[in-house]
Amino acid sequence: TAIALWGDRHVPASAVAQQAKALQASGVDGMLIADQFGNFIPPQLWKPDIAPAAAMMADPDSHSDPFALAGYLLAAAPNLDVAVSTDSVRRGPAELAQAMLTLGNMTRGEVMLHVGGGEAKQCTPFGYKRSQGMSRMEDLFQIFRALLDSSGEPIDFEGRRWSFRSASIGGAVPNRPKVMGLGGGPMLIDHCTSYADGLATTCPPVWANPDEFGAARKQILDDLWETVVVPIL
């Protein structure tokens, strides 16, 4: 079980660290930190008469960098699992692998990276091409695994968006991170089942309810089983 911790810069990071300590003391397995430039709240609605928190916080969009914050929180609660949710558009695969290995070196818990295809609110205002989300995700998953499996030996990779030539970030993998696809849809699920360690998703944004997700999960597992099992005639 993981609980999301929100690192708003209006709040001292020490207050969020106290929350992480409380999670660790309660027996919760881990924490989730989201990589967000902006919130889902329209600025026009961020007024004290509509949102009481607006009386204390000038805006809802002052988010902390998730990797810096996660490292700080692990110093306070080193036994927690940590998951960071981001997208495949705004950060490169080598940078993500290095960041997650660093977090893995800070915790005795499990480390997971959740990667979505990119949201318009995170991409469009900052000049990122959200249309490249799925092709970047496919490359990212393959590069992430290749770097972690390389034992430090340089790798070559020719993908749809990334080209690596004799690239290495070293062979130390003190706590191997898992990389998961975040979201839904046939292309994302195909990338997950082909290259990633699993799928992280939500209800109702992706599937309307747990029953629909259960049926989809069963279909995914059935499809995977058919791919790996060769019948003996």
Side-chain angles (χ1 to χ4, degrees):
T1 304
I3 303 294
L5 295 181
W6 204 257
D8 193 290
R9 299 194 308 274
H10 291 101
V11 179
S14 57
V16 189
Q18 289 299 318
Q19 296 177 38
K21 287 181 179 178
L23 292 183
Q24 182 173 269
S26 73
V28 170
D29 297 311
M31 57 182 170
L32 168 68
I33 313 293
D35 184 6
Q36 300 280 330
F37 280 150
N39 211 318
F40 297 92
I41 303 169
Q44 297 87 341
L45 298 179
W46 194 251
K47 299 176 181 179
D49 58 328
I50 300 174
M56 300 176 290
M57 298 166 57
D59 63 76
D61 300 318
S62 297
H63 302 302
S64 299
D65 176 85
F67 297 99
L69 180 64
Y72 179 81
L73 298 181
L74 284 172
N79 293 324
L80 285 179
D81 296 347
V82 58
V84 177
S85 63
T86 186
D87 60 63
S88 58
V89 179
R90 294 177 294 143
R91 299 179 189 261
E95 291 84 354
L96 284 173
Q98 184 184 49
M100 294 308 294
L101 286 166
T102 303
L103 292 179
N105 203 25
M106 295 178 180
T107 179
R108 293 183 281 272
E110 188 173 50
V111 187
M112 286 178 287
L113 178 67
H114 298 171
V115 182
E119 296 171 323
K121 72 181 180 68
Q122 314 279 49
C123 298
T124 305
F126 304 97
Y128 294 105
K129 294 185 178 180
R130 184 173 178 246
S131 60
Q132 296 180 358
M134 289 298 102
S135 56
R136 287 181 178 272
M137 179 183 290
E138 185 177 22
D139 284 1
L140 187 155
F141 285 164
Q142 294 180 75
I143 292 169
F144 196 94
R145 176 169 289 181
L147 288 172
L148 267 59
D149 288 344
S150 70
S151 301
E153 292 297 318
I155 67 165
D156 293 330
F157 178 81
E158 190 65 46
R160 297 171 65 187
R161 298 293 175 185
W162 295 95
S163 296
F164 280 27
R165 296 288 179 271
S166 298
S168 173
I169 59 171
V173 184
N175 189 354
R176 186 183 177 99
K178 292 180 179 177
V179 61
M180 323 274 280
L182 175 61
M187 193 173 296
L188 186 146
I189 290 172
D190 180 57
H191 294 339
C192 288
T193 53
S194 299
Y195 311 113
D197 296 301
L199 172 69
T201 192
T202 56
C203 296
V206 176
W207 283 283
N209 54 60
D211 290 337
E212 285 191 14
F213 168 70
R217 176 182 180 276
K218 182 179 184 303
Q219 185 61 55
I220 292 168
L221 293 175
D222 288 346
D223 291 345
L224 281 172
W225 183 251
E226 289 175 4
T227 341
V228 298
V229 174
V230 178
I232 298 175
L233 303 178

